Amino acid sequence: MPKKTVEDIEIKGKRVLLRVDFNVPLNINTGAISDDSRIRASLPTIKYLIDHKAKVILCSHLGRPEGRVVENLRIAPIAQRLSQLMGLPVSTASDCIGQEVENEVDKLKEGDILVLENLRFHPEEEANDADFARKLVNLADIYVNDAFGTAHRAHASTVGVAKYLPAVAGFLMKKELNVMEKLLHDPERPSACLIGGAKVSDKIELVQNMLKKVDMLLVGGGMAATFLKAQGYEVGHSLVEDDKLNLAKKLLQEAKEWGVPFLLPIDAVVAGEIKAGVPTRVTPTTNIPSGSHIVDIGPKSIALFYNELRKCRTIIWNGPMGIYEMPQFAQGTRSIARFLSTLDATTIIGGGSSAEVVQEMGLADKMTHVSTGGGASLRFLEGVTLPGVKVLLDKK
Ligand code: ADP
Ligand code: MG
């Protein structure tokens, strides 16, 4: 069921509590914002609210302060960057709840922007505490959620407040939901799901749900080793979850029953240890030397994946093909990213690491959609109704 958005509600003169995801990566040494794409992603909704004369009260979490005030996780630098991006003054509240903040809100005029202090300075935020939610509610007349990246968490600012205020989606939330809904229910076909990442256990539900939704599954990354081993191959010292071997077998069997091709790497880059500068070699996955680790997919697998993906009209990619943090093992992941960017198909990037690679390579504009929420998009694709989405008003 589609959700109501800011466009479906009267906001002129109203105090609008806008939950955004300003949880941007910060440089550990300098504290500087290393990537402001999450702030940029929230601009369309903020601009709309201002253009329609709302009083805009922004709230977000930043980092993991675990319920106490952490000086270098204050929201002020984010508010400053927002002000630069908007070309407008943005004020910062003394906290996110309480009398003083209520006074600050009282002073707002139509079109003003106030950013509340880091929500997670209060443990009640993550606990979805009802009193804390009500204190947030005191600040506003309407609640808008644009924090897709946090929608899989039932916190006070994502779920609690929606009980007491008319709750609608912002434009980023709407876009993320539209893309993922279409992917799950009405993709242009053929469609493919390319999965990588470290562990099978993180992606079981994803594989299970997607094999009923797409025309082919391709699996690389660390989790491929468990599937290879489940088929009886030697995988050396590669990352394997032995307690998931039976499940891997079952998933391969299910794919067969659904008639969905399930492609695994046919060759791999292997190394004696996972360390920069170690010698590597490429071997067929039927012949992985017993003392070695799979660190990336090999050139033949890359070619195989290209060939299959080329046939598709819709592709969802979640998870790197190798240990991409080390440049020597990043070839598979980077080649796939570059290849997807050249396709004329619908290309959707979910998953934190895969999105990071695409951003870092400057390819985001060449994809149809790069999700701003790794965990949230993963949950969504598993078929889970996100708690932060569920509480928004349905469009009649
Ligand atoms: P995403 O965030 O895109 O969903 P994951 O969090 O599931 O991806 O996995 C990312 C991690 O997977 C990376 O840290 C990467 O090093 C690791 N990884 C990928 N391939 C391998 C491999 N062959 N062996 C061990 N780890 C791997
Ligand atoms: Mg991840």
Side-chain angles (χ1 to χ4, degrees):
M1 166 87 76
K3 295 294 179 177
K4 281 196 177 172
T5 74
V6 278
E7 290 177 305
D8 301 315
I9 197 159
E10 180 60 47
I11 53 176
K12 185 176 183 313
K14 300 276 172 62
R15 299 169 302 161
V16 176
L17 180 68
L18 173 59
R19 175 55 156 107
V20 284
D21 185 354
F22 281 170
N23 184 32
V24 296
L26 302 171
N27 181 302
I28 19 169
N29 300 316
T30 63
I33 298 168
S34 43
D35 176 5
D36 66 4
S37 29
R38 283 183 168 167
I39 307 177
R40 290 173 188 276
S42 70
L43 297 180
T45 304
I46 301 174
K47 283 193 175 128
Y48 179 91
L49 292 174
I50 290 171
D51 289 347
H52 291 78
K53 302 199 161 38
K55 301 171 182 175
V56 185
I57 304 155
L58 296 173
C59 63
S60 176
H61 71 284
L62 175 62
R64 299 174 185 275
E66 289 174 355
R68 59 200 170 82
V69 176
V70 174
E71 284 306 323
N72 50 20
L73 292 177
R74 286 204 181 271
I75 212 79
I78 315 282
Q80 227 166 55
R81 176 65 59 92
L82 175 65
S83 173
Q84 280 165 10
L85 293 170
M86 296 282 300
L88 287 171
V90 171
S91 51
T92 309
S94 49
D95 196 349
C96 58
I97 52 161
Q99 190 56 54
E100 205 178 323
V101 183
E102 288 176 31
N103 298 343
E104 289 158 0
V105 166
D106 281 342
K107 292 190 197 120
L108 292 178
K109 294 190 287 296
E110 293 178 2
D112 282 351
I113 310 172
L114 175 70
V115 185
L116 302 183
E117 188 49 278
N118 192 343
L119 291 160
R120 291 196 188 164
F121 284 178
H122 295 264
E124 296 89 346
E125 158 65 359
E126 288 182 84
N128 191 11
D129 178 81
D131 281 337
F132 179 79
R134 271 193 292 266
K135 286 179 189 158
L136 285 171
V137 164
N138 281 343
L139 306 173
D141 307 304
I142 290 171
Y143 170 68
V144 179
N145 191 350
D146 218 12
F148 175 76
T150 326
H152 58 311
R153 311 246 183 248
H155 294 168
S157 70
T158 59
V159 167
V161 292
K163 212 166 153 184
Y164 311 102
L165 291 173
V168 300
F171 294 119
L172 173 62
M173 178 69 90
K174 178 183 165 184
K175 184 177 170 210
E176 293 270 8
L177 294 177
N178 283 350
V179 169
M180 305 276 170
E181 289 281 357
K182 181 152 172 59
L183 171 70
L184 286 186
H185 303 297
D186 180 29
E188 228 191 299
R189 297 179 61 181
S191 61
C193 179
L194 172 62
I195 308 179
K199 295 194 282 177
V200 181
S201 52
D202 290 338
K203 307 275 166 99
I204 295 162
E205 285 83 5
L206 179 69
V207 174
Q208 234 152 11
N209 198 40
M210 292 314 284
L211 66 84
K212 295 169 192 158
K213 304 282 181 191
V214 292
D215 298 306
M216 93 184 54
L217 274 169
L218 304 92
V219 170
M223 58 187 285
T226 300
F227 284 104
L228 290 167
K229 189 164 175 186
Q231 290 183 322
Y233 298 122
E234 160 78 46
V235 292
H237 290 155
S238 304
L239 177 70
V240 168
E241 290 167 278
D242 281 311
D243 60 329
K244 294 291 179 290
L245 284 171
N246 279 330
L247 187 76
K249 272 183 208 156
K250 203 181 124 230
L251 290 171
L252 288 164
Q253 184 58 34
E254 257 177 67
K256 202 175 269 171
E257 282 159 20
W258 280 85
V260 177
F262 195 117
L263 276 86
L264 288 164
I266 49 176
D267 63 346
V269 179
V270 300
E273 50 184 329
I274 301 170
K275 213 173 85 183
V278 292
T280 61
R281 64 190 176 107
V282 174
T283 71
T285 44
T286 48
N287 195 18
I288 305 283
S290 57
S292 62
H293 300 261
I294 298 177
V295 292
D296 198 1
I297 58 173
K300 291 204 170 96
S301 309
I302 296 174
L304 171 73
F305 286 7
Y306 282 1
N307 257 331
E308 295 304 317
L309 294 171
R310 214 192 303 277
K311 301 173 193 161
C312 293
R313 295 300 309 151
T314 304
I315 299 160
I316 164 77
W317 179 31
N318 175 300
M321 295 291 106
I323 306 175
Y324 75 101
E325 293 92 336
M326 312 185 79
Q328 218 186 341
F329 312 149
Q331 195 64 35
T333 302
R334 295 176 71 88
S335 305
I336 291 283
R338 212 170 296 115
F339 179 73
L340 291 181
S341 76
T342 64
L343 295 178
D344 158 48
T346 297
T347 46
I348 302 164
I349 317 300
S353 307
S354 1
E356 189 183 292
V357 171
V358 166
Q359 296 285 7
E360 183 225 289
M361 291 176 73
L363 299 174
D365 293 349
K366 301 200 169 67
M367 307 295 184
T368 308
H369 183 69
V370 181
S371 179
T372 52
S377 67
L378 179 59
R379 282 283 107 72
F380 196 98
L381 296 176
E382 287 170 359
V384 173
T385 308
L386 307 181
V389 174
K390 195 171 168 195
V391 295
L392 303 177
L393 293 169
D394 289 325
K395 211 163 184 154
K396 292 281 150 39

